[in-house]
Amino acid sequence: MPSTTRRARRRDTPPPRTGSDEIEVLRGFLDYLRTSIVAKVDGAPEPRVRTAAVASGTNLLGLLEHLTFVERSMFLGDTVTDWQATFHAPATDTVADVVARYRAAVEQANDILDGCTDLGAPLPRPRPGRRAPSVRWALAHMIEETGRHAGHADILRELIDGATGR
C-alpha cells in the first residue's frame, strides 16, 4: 500500500522532439521509454523494489532485469532459454547493479543501431540459424516491449511509495 503521508510527484517529461526522419523518431521514442523505466526504478526503496506487488509476481527491479535481456537478445543476438526467469534480478545485485547492466545493454544496442541506416535491412546481429528481423521491426517491437513494461513500472512504483510521473 502506498504511503499516504508523502506522495512523490515527478513532473511529467513530454515525448521527445525528434527530427522528421523515421529512424530518428523511432530511436527517439525508444530512448525516451528506456529513460522512463530507469527513472521508475531510481530511488525505489529496498526490498520493495524487488517485492512482488501483484499476483503474477511482477516486481519493479525484475522488469528492468527483463528488459536488459530483451535488449541483449534483440540487438546483440544473445540467446535466452527461460524468459520467465529474466523477470527476477539476482538477490545479490543492488539496484545500482541492475541499472548499470541495463544501461550497458542499451549503450551496446545503440552502438549497433548507430550503424543501421536502412530500416528495411536485417538487424546486424549474430544469431545462427535464425533470420534477423528488419531494423524497423526491431525498433517498433522494442518500443512496444519497453512501453508495455514502463507502464507496468508506473503502477508498481506508485504502489511502492506513491511516486508518479515520468
Side-chain angles (χ1 to χ4, degrees):
M1 191 57 91
S3 168
T4 56
T5 57
R6 182 175 171 260
R7 285 203 176 274
R9 295 223 177 257
R10 191 179 298 191
R11 198 175 90 183
D12 274 348
T13 303
R17 295 277 185 208
T18 62
S20 58
D21 182 272
E22 184 180 7
I23 199 161
E24 289 176 30
V25 171
L26 292 171
R27 289 192 63 184
F29 272 86
L30 178 55
D31 282 337
Y32 169 73
L33 291 168
R34 288 165 163 168
T35 300
S36 295
I37 192 141
V38 169
K40 286 296 165 181
V41 174
D42 187 36
E46 286 277 13
R48 301 218 34 218
V49 71
R50 63 179 79 239
T51 303
V54 292
S56 68
T58 303
N59 66 79
L60 193 55
L61 198 58
L63 288 173
L64 194 61
E65 180 76 0
H66 170 70
L67 285 171
T68 301
F69 279 91
V70 176
E71 290 275 352
R72 294 194 58 79
S73 174
M74 180 60 63
F75 296 116
L76 306 175
D78 287 6
T79 299
V80 176
T81 56
D82 182 0
W83 279 105
Q84 202 55 37
T86 68
F87 281 95
H88 301 283
T92 55
D93 286 358
T94 66
V95 172
D97 293 334
V98 177
V99 169
R101 190 166 44 248
Y102 178 70
R103 286 185 170 144
V106 166
E107 186 177 327
Q108 290 176 306
N110 280 341
D111 287 345
I112 298 292
L113 288 169
D114 287 345
C116 298
T117 56
D118 179 1
L119 288 170
L123 199 58
R125 63 172 189 195
R127 199 173 237 189
R130 290 189 64 189
R131 204 172 115 216
S134 70
V135 175
R136 179 182 288 106
W137 188 93
L139 286 168
H141 172 67
M142 289 305 298
I143 290 167
E144 177 273 330
E145 180 82 8
T146 308
R148 178 174 188 234
H149 293 311
H152 296 145
D154 284 340
I155 293 165
L156 293 174
R157 181 62 190 262
E158 188 171 357
L159 289 170
I160 289 172
D161 63 6
T164 62
R166 282 183 266 198

